[in-house]
Amino acid sequence: MEEIQSQSDHYRSSSSSASSPASRVPSSNFFYLRKPGAFRQPISFEDSPDWDDTDIEVRVEESGADSINTATTPVSPSLSKLNSCSLPSPPLPEGAIYSRKTVGASIVWKDLTVSIKGKRKYSDKVIKSSNGYAMPGTMTVIMGPAKSGKSTLLRALSGRLPDSARVYGEVFVNGVKSHMPYGAYGFVERETTLIGSLTVREYLYYSALLQLPGFLFQRMSAVEDAILAMSLGDYANKLIGGHCYMKGLRSGERRRVAIARELVMRPHILFIDEPLYHLDSVSALLMMVTLKKLASTGCTLIFSIYQSSTEVFGLFDRICLLSNGNTLFFGETLACLQHFSNAGFPCPIMQSPSDHFLRAINTDFDRIIAMCKNWQDDHGELSSVNMDTAVAIRTLEATYKSSADAAAVETMILKLTEKEGPSLKSKGKANCMAKIAVLTWRSLLIMSREWKYYWLRLILYMFLALCIGTVFSGLGHSLSSIVTRVGAVFVFVSFASLLSIAGVPAQLKEIKIYSCEEANQHSGTLVFLIGQFFSSIPFLFLLSISSSLVFYFLVGLRDEFSLLMYFALNFFMCLLVNEGLVLLVASISQNMFWSILTLVTIHVVMMLSAGYFRLRSALPRPGLLENEYIGTSFAVGQVRSLSGYQALRNAYDISADGNSKWRNLLILFLMAVGYRVLVFILLQFRVRKTISLRCLFRCNQNKENLR
């Protein structure tokens, strides 16, 4: 304790001579005041979105109040009523009328512990006996340095932990120990894959078709509400952008599009992992003001954050401060400053609160201290970084456990869990046939706009057919041209199949989009594969028919329509098989480099075993050669002729049966289906692991109930 006290006294004197636990009181600088004596409200904008809902009514009347402040903070159960040491929330002005029907839901976690094997170096416990709650109409932020357990706590509350996680403790939703049904909550990942070739409205519209049942006008209404809620009206008809387009939405708008996708369901609780990820200060402030207005409608917002500016910090209602899985504080935002002052670590006047918090509890600063211990700046020692963070963490944790703030949290948890509230109900899902149709049409629209992955590929196929056809043109139909003609067919099919590797980036992106939608239960494995299969048929048929026509007539193959159609159909089946192979390899590796390397190796092996470089007695028979040579004859001398079957049977072991080529076509189709069945098993296995994890989480809750 003497070490802790000495370190605390040293930090207090070095951080700010004008600050002390008695004098350091959170000022109103965290809120923008329109005029002296006016109601304290977070900064807002004139174009703040309006969230219209028939079940919501928010009305604040005050004579003389400034109309620009529309993002008002709703009344939340103040810890100041339970703890005289906590700072109260900004009060409502006199004469104000505040009424609203709450559409959010309260969520409480009690003694929540998360253990993930191999996650930590010294301990498997990522979250250690955390307690907290989130109320409707408020924003609760989980803050802490890197690897402090922010995202793990967020995923534990939403039931999205990895397979190796074990959860202990209790989670209540509206006072009930139960999982949240579909549509009752939304989860936004830190990095969300968006479809750059769609506009914002199109992207949200297709998401609504995948998520919502009901009539079309209801889904369109939900989309427009989500656009207004996230201030995306000016970008609704703009392409989201991506690596295929030079221009697109900026990171702030793209982040709001990802949140708007979850708002289509109008969830009661919204979890967001790092909403300010990769955002500048202006975009971050606009994002938080938008979320503040969203919370004012009654939605419960819980999100993790690493660091924020002073203005953004003032918008939070409650903060859960973590360090190495330990809860150092939970309570109202302004009360956290008082907590640090009581512990002997007051926030300097010119420093952002979040910077001060992280400076005190981030152990990475110890390495900076070790580097700078012999350095001095122009003002003397580096006093702002000379404190042992381990001492600060122990001090803050001990102070919080014995403080009235922790007791107030326990009291509030008891109040929220002593009486069961209304249980959340599932909002229903779109049927599978509708999802297949939506995914098929959306993929077709993407293919029509993605020039880099689809139309450029068509140009490459046409160019390849033109080059090969030009090299092998004018062969004639003599017996001496058989070997050259077989070589032309082999080169065309082999190299055209090799070009299917160009579709690896598009397939990887499709898998990422599927993973994101499946995690939120918007799609399914079977729905994704069927939609992807149907949508690829028109494009692959266009590739096959266009390149086959160029190659067929330049080389001068048999001039019969039925034979030409079989050639194009056989080539189409080859492309369909290759698409399935690309999808399978991409699903296994999910890495562009290893996918391309694996596919090149597989295609080289296939080319070596195709029968062109050696006799085909032990290899499958090719349907294209039978299509070209069965029924033909070649003159040998003046009186003798040789049939096409006799000319090729010794070298390529083709069948004399005219129906054998159709059997070969059926084999190609079964291969195309077989590859996709393997993809289904692979993806379904991953889905089952996720579902089993959710069941394990519910079983742990049921065991706690029995106890």
Side-chain angles (χ1 to χ4, degrees):
M1 292 301 296
E2 294 179 357
E3 179 190 4
I4 294 176
Q5 184 64 32
S6 62
Q7 289 284 352
S8 301
D9 294 339
H10 179 69
Y11 178 72
R12 183 190 301 114
S13 61
S14 63
S15 60
S16 176
S17 60
S19 300
S20 65
S23 61
R24 180 60 185 173
V25 178
S27 64
S28 59
N29 293 334
F30 302 113
F31 295 89
Y32 283 78
L33 303 183
R34 300 302 301 166
K35 57 185 179 181
F39 175 42
R40 295 182 183 181
Q41 294 174 333
I43 186 173
S44 184
F45 298 99
E46 293 180 342
D47 60 346
S48 294
D50 294 328
W51 181 270
D52 300 326
D53 198 300
T54 57
D55 296 332
I56 303 172
E57 181 182 359
V58 180
R59 185 161 57 95
V60 177
E61 296 179 358
E62 177 189 6
S63 58
D66 200 330
S67 60
I68 193 174
N69 293 316
T70 58
T72 60
T73 306
V75 176
S76 59
S78 177
L79 295 183
S80 61
K81 297 180 181 180
L82 305 172
N83 177 13
S84 59
C85 297
S86 299
L87 293 176
S89 298
L92 282 173
E94 296 181 1
I97 301 175
Y98 191 89
S99 61
R100 173 177 52 208
K101 295 180 180 179
T102 300
V103 296
S106 66
I107 181 170
V108 175
W109 60 98
K110 183 179 179 182
D111 295 329
L112 189 63
T113 300
V114 180
S115 177
I116 302 178
K117 188 175 182 180
K119 184 73 172 181
R120 292 286 188 267
K121 185 176 181 180
Y122 301 105
S123 175
D124 293 336
K125 291 184 178 180
V126 183
I127 302 296
K128 305 170 185 177
S129 300
S130 178
N131 296 312
Y133 62 91
M135 297 294 294
T138 62
M139 294 198 305
T140 302
V141 57
I142 304 172
M143 183 179 290
K147 298 182 180 179
S148 61
K150 304 185 300 294
S151 298
T152 303
L153 178 57
L154 197 70
R155 293 179 180 277
L157 297 177
S158 59
R160 288 170 169 258
L161 287 171
D163 303 338
S164 57
R166 295 296 179 268
V167 183
Y168 309 94
E170 299 172 310
V171 177
F172 300 84
V173 180
N174 281 345
V176 182
K177 294 182 183 178
S178 62
H179 69 282
M180 288 175 285
Y182 173 78
Y185 77 100
F187 192 97
V188 182
E189 297 281 356
R190 180 183 305 175
E191 295 183 358
T192 305
T193 303
L194 304 178
I195 304 177
S197 54
L198 299 180
T199 64
V200 173
R201 181 173 278 110
E202 289 173 343
Y203 178 75
L204 296 179
Y205 174 65
Y206 285 117
S207 296
L209 293 178
L210 290 174
Q211 299 179 48
L212 299 174
F215 297 102
L216 185 61
F217 73 90
Q218 294 175 329
R219 302 175 185 179
M220 289 298 299
S221 176
V223 169
E224 295 303 323
D225 288 344
I227 291 175
L228 291 176
M230 297 310 299
S231 301
L232 292 170
D234 295 336
Y235 311 98
N237 296 319
K238 292 184 178 180
L239 291 174
I240 296 175
H243 47 273
C244 286
Y245 293 92
M246 295 299 294
K247 293 182 179 180
L249 299 184
R250 294 175 296 181
S251 57
E253 287 80 20
R254 293 170 65 90
R255 194 71 175 137
R256 280 185 279 155
V257 170
I259 298 175
R261 183 192 62 190
E262 299 303 316
L263 293 182
V264 169
M265 287 292 295
R266 295 191 179 183
H268 301 284
I269 304 174
L270 183 61
F271 301 93
I272 309 176
D273 191 7
E274 296 282 359
L276 307 184
Y277 187 65
H278 285 172
L279 299 188
D280 55 37
S281 58
V282 176
S283 300
L285 182 58
L286 179 59
M287 168 69 77
M288 297 314 302
V289 169
T290 305
L291 292 178
K292 188 69 176 181
K293 184 60 184 294
L294 175 62
S296 69
T297 65
C299 183
T300 305
L301 294 182
I302 308 175
F303 51 86
S304 62
I305 194 171
Y306 178 76
Q307 203 167 9
S308 67
S309 63
T310 304
E311 293 84 358
V312 170
F313 182 82
L315 296 174
F316 303 149
D317 293 299
R318 293 181 183 85
I319 180 173
C320 179
L321 194 61
L322 298 178
S323 179
N324 197 25
N326 298 306
T327 302
L328 304 185
F329 178 81
F330 181 89
E332 295 188 4
T333 308
L334 299 182
C336 188
L337 287 168
Q338 186 66 42
H339 169 66
F340 270 72
S341 295
N342 294 338
F345 309 109
C347 180
I349 296 177
M350 301 301 294
Q351 190 172 8
S352 169
S354 63
D355 291 342
H356 174 65
F357 297 159
L358 295 179
R359 165 62 192 90
I361 65 176
N362 193 346
T363 56
D364 291 337
F365 277 101
D366 293 337
R367 291 183 294 179
I368 300 178
I369 296 172
M371 288 171 39
C372 303
K373 60 181 179 180
N374 296 325
W375 294 0
Q376 288 186 351
D377 56 11
D378 297 337
H379 303 284
E381 295 183 357
L382 300 174
S383 58
S384 61
V385 293
N386 63 0
M387 178 190 59
D388 187 1
T389 55
V391 175
I393 292 172
R394 292 197 300 267
T395 304
L396 289 168
E397 185 179 5
T399 304
Y400 173 69
K401 289 182 178 180
S402 60
S403 67
D405 292 287
V409 172
E410 293 180 0
T411 304
M412 182 60 69
I413 289 176
L414 290 176
K415 287 187 175 182
L416 293 174
T417 56
E418 64 182 0
K419 183 179 179 180
E420 294 185 358
S423 59
L424 303 182
K425 298 180 180 180
S426 177
K427 298 182 179 180
K429 299 181 181 180
N431 61 75
C432 292
M433 295 304 298
K435 289 183 178 182
I436 292 174
V438 170
L439 290 176
T440 302
W441 182 254
R442 188 181 70 178
S443 297
L444 288 173
L445 183 61
I446 294 172
M447 290 178 182
S448 65
R449 295 179 180 177
E450 289 278 5
W451 63 269
K452 187 176 181 180
Y453 295 146
Y454 296 99
W455 296 112
L456 183 60
R457 188 175 165 189
L458 175 62
I459 295 175
L460 291 176
Y461 271 84
M462 293 291 292
F463 180 73
L464 177 66
L466 182 63
C467 291
I468 297 176
T470 303
V471 171
F472 291 95
S473 61
L475 295 179
H477 293 277
S478 62
L479 184 62
S480 60
S481 67
I482 292 179
V483 177
T484 308
R485 194 180 301 272
V486 171
V489 174
F490 167 79
V491 170
F492 174 70
V493 175
S494 299
F495 282 89
S497 300
L498 189 62
L499 280 181
S500 62
I501 299 176
V504 169
Q507 297 287 9
L508 288 174
K509 192 172 183 180
E510 286 281 345
I511 293 174
K512 289 181 180 179
I513 294 172
Y514 154 76
S515 300
C516 183
E517 292 177 343
E518 189 278 330
N520 292 334
Q521 304 180 41
H522 300 167
S523 180
T525 308
L526 183 62
V527 170
F528 162 70
L529 290 176
I530 294 177
Q532 194 272 346
F533 178 76
F534 285 156
S535 61
S536 64
I537 289 177
F539 173 72
L540 294 180
F541 186 77
L542 177 63
L543 283 180
S544 61
I545 195 67
S546 57
S547 55
S548 295
L549 288 174
V550 174
F551 171 81
Y552 199 90
F553 289 107
L554 283 178
V555 175
L557 300 181
R558 296 174 63 183
D559 191 11
E560 293 185 19
F561 181 77
S562 61
L563 301 180
L564 171 62
M565 287 297 99
Y566 178 85
F567 185 91
L569 185 60
N570 190 289
F571 184 53
F572 166 74
M573 285 298 175
C574 291
L575 296 182
L576 203 61
V577 170
N578 279 280
E579 285 292 307
L581 179 61
V582 170
L583 184 61
L584 177 61
V585 173
S587 301
I588 295 174
S589 65
Q590 296 189 6
N591 179 274
M592 187 176 298
F593 171 78
W594 291 109
S595 297
I596 293 177
L597 183 63
T598 304
L599 287 169
V600 169
T601 304
I602 293 175
H603 277 86
V604 169
V605 173
M606 287 184 173
M607 291 170 66
L608 292 175
S609 60
Y612 180 73
F613 298 104
R614 63 180 292 271
L615 295 179
R616 290 192 52 94
S617 58
L619 297 174
R621 293 184 293 271
L624 291 177
L625 296 184
E626 295 169 348
N627 182 67
E628 177 66 19
Y629 287 103
I630 294 299
T632 60
S633 60
F634 300 93
V636 181
Q638 298 292 330
V639 295
R640 185 168 174 260
S641 63
L642 187 67
S643 65
Y645 166 71
Q646 293 174 332
L648 271 71
R649 66 176 180 178
N650 292 329
Y652 298 102
D653 193 28
I654 66 173
S655 174
D657 186 7
N659 296 325
S660 62
K661 64 179 184 180
W662 298 105
R663 289 195 296 269
N664 296 330
L665 199 65
L666 178 61
I667 293 175
L668 288 176
F669 177 76
L670 294 177
M671 289 177 64
V673 175
Y675 282 136
R676 286 165 174 82
V677 170
L678 293 177
V679 174
F680 173 80
I681 296 174
L682 177 65
L683 297 179
Q684 190 68 16
F685 175 73
R686 295 177 180 175
V687 172
R688 286 180 180 272
K689 292 175 69 177
T690 303
I691 294 176
S692 63
L693 176 65
R694 294 173 181 172
C695 293
L696 177 62
F697 178 69
R698 297 171 192 171
C699 290
N700 289 336
Q701 289 185 342
N702 294 333
K703 290 180 181 178
E704 294 292 337
N705 295 340
L706 294 176
R707 292 177 183 175

